[in-house]
Amino acid sequence: MFLDDNSIRDQVDFVMCATNHEEYPPKPSKVSADRLCRKFGVDNTKVVMVGDTPTDIQFGLNGGFGLVVGVTTGIGSAEDLDNAGAHVLLDDLSELVPVLEQFYSSDNPSAAGLNYIKTDSS
């Protein structure tokens, strides 16, 4: 597994995958989003979902997450992620840190209250 191969398993609190699908239905289930937030005592609106597929984006939206970021470094195209409703699109994961800093610097994190511009991936 990626976490073991890169010696970072101890930095991850929880992995949601096919082996625990009964308690955590697959994305884009709102049930899973709500259960994960309850498990860690986090308000859904303070969660950032970063994903590379329309299903990832839908999971973040269904879960009421405060910020849903589409990254074009994986499977989904910018058009697919935008059409799915991503609040912001990034062409490179190195662009994520300033987005997170802006999101979490607000007292009331909400994608609507931030000045994000979707990148042009054409």
Side-chain angles (χ1 to χ4, degrees):
M1 175 183 245
F2 176 83
L3 299 175
D4 296 322
D5 293 346
N6 291 280
S7 302
I8 58 172
R9 175 167 287 290
D10 62 330
Q11 298 175 38
V12 175
D13 293 321
F14 181 79
V15 175
M16 186 175 87
C17 57
T19 59
N20 54 8
H21 64 85
E22 289 180 20
E23 185 177 359
Y24 297 95
K27 295 180 285 184
S29 171
K30 178 177 177 21
V31 170
S32 290
D34 290 342
R35 286 181 180 166
L36 284 168
C37 289
R38 267 196 314 274
K39 177 179 178 67
F40 291 102
V42 177
D43 184 306
N44 294 41
T45 63
K46 295 184 179 179
V47 174
V48 175
M49 175 65 189
V50 179
D52 67 345
T53 69
T55 301
D56 294 335
I57 303 308
Q58 196 58 54
F59 179 66
L61 297 173
N62 288 351
F65 295 164
L67 181 63
V68 181
V69 178
V71 292
T72 61
T73 56
I75 297 170
S77 69
E79 182 179 4
D80 291 341
L81 300 172
D82 189 36
N83 288 341
H87 298 140
V88 88
L89 297 175
L90 303 177
D91 292 323
D92 190 305
L93 281 173
S94 66
E95 300 169 348
L96 183 60
V97 171
V99 170
L100 293 175
E101 288 173 345
Q102 184 179 3
F103 179 75
Y104 286 114
S105 68
S106 169
D107 288 336
N108 184 16
S110 164
L114 300 175
N115 297 316
Y116 293 119
I117 299 173
K118 293 187 179 186
T119 60
D120 179 16
S121 297
S122 54

